[in-house]
Amino acid sequence: MDFWDVFWLLLIFIPLLLIWGFAIVDIFRRDDLSGWLKALWIVVVVLLPFLGTLIYLIFRQPGATPQERRAMDQASREFVEKYSPNDSAQQLKLLSDLHDRGKLTDTEFAEEKARVLDAARAHDAPAGAAGTLPTRSDQGPATGPTPAPGAPQTGPGGPPAGPGDLGGPAAPPASAGGAEPPRRPRGFGA
């Protein structure tokens, strides 16, 4: 065999044969084509191998079929379930390892660590504890003990505050996960 025989065989004929085979397999595999349409495409691709395959590939709908999408989604879910850490200690260890290897920045590490710890606290919290103080329907959310009768009810440098406001610095809001109990303002008990 000389150079041109090898060139035509390896770089032209075999790739075209593979594309032709792909087209035939793809026609049978697709579930969005009816039986008659599949038969028509097979006849076109088999009788006109080069031109029929080219026409099929041009008119073929792009993307995966719904069946392929479901299979890919299921495989992805199984992979995540199999290899993702299932408790907070393993997740924190994985985050620490990624941070040590430089794959996570300090801010990304802190955010993910807070997310994992909040999720662990929410999971470990009793079912009845939502992390908020009880509310009274006439006053809105309670922010602490109510002032004594006759005490001035003004906010810091502003107009008179609402009935439940202490007039001092507000307590920091609870975390987004709702697992952290509200903090009391300084000077109110232990």
Side-chain angles (χ1 to χ4, degrees):
M1 290 179 78
D2 66 346
F3 170 77
W4 291 108
D5 290 338
V6 173
F7 175 81
W8 282 105
L9 179 68
L10 295 179
L11 296 178
I12 304 294
F13 182 72
I14 292 179
L16 286 177
L17 188 64
L18 291 173
I19 292 172
W20 182 72
F22 162 77
I24 291 176
V25 169
D26 189 61
I27 291 169
F28 282 110
R29 181 186 54 82
R30 293 188 70 89
D31 58 353
D32 59 338
L33 297 176
S34 67
W36 288 105
L37 199 53
K38 285 183 183 183
L40 178 66
W41 275 118
I42 289 294
V43 167
V44 170
V45 168
V46 169
L47 292 181
L48 303 168
F50 178 70
L51 187 62
T53 302
L54 183 64
I55 292 170
Y56 173 73
L57 293 177
I58 290 172
F59 288 106
R60 177 183 183 268
Q61 291 181 351
T65 64
Q67 180 183 4
E68 290 173 327
R69 287 190 193 105
R70 284 191 297 273
M72 288 186 290
D73 186 46
Q74 182 64 28
S76 175
R77 289 177 192 271
E78 289 172 1
F79 179 82
V80 168
E81 288 175 7
K82 183 175 181 181
Y83 292 108
S84 67
N86 54 1
D87 66 348
S88 59
Q90 287 178 336
Q91 290 176 352
L92 290 173
K93 181 180 176 187
L94 178 64
L95 285 173
S96 176
D97 182 47
L98 289 172
H99 183 256
D100 291 344
R101 289 189 296 166
K103 303 295 182 185
L104 292 177
T105 63
D106 291 337
T107 56
E108 291 172 334
F109 175 71
E111 289 172 1
E112 289 299 313
K113 181 178 175 183
R115 183 190 58 80
V116 168
L117 292 176
D118 285 344
R121 276 192 227 113
H123 179 63
D124 294 340
T132 59
L133 292 174
T135 61
R136 294 191 343 204
S137 62
D138 61 334
Q139 292 183 355
T143 57
T146 56
Q153 295 183 358
T154 59
D165 196 352
L166 297 175
S175 66
E180 184 176 294
R183 297 183 187 136
R184 293 183 182 173
R186 286 191 178 140
F188 287 98

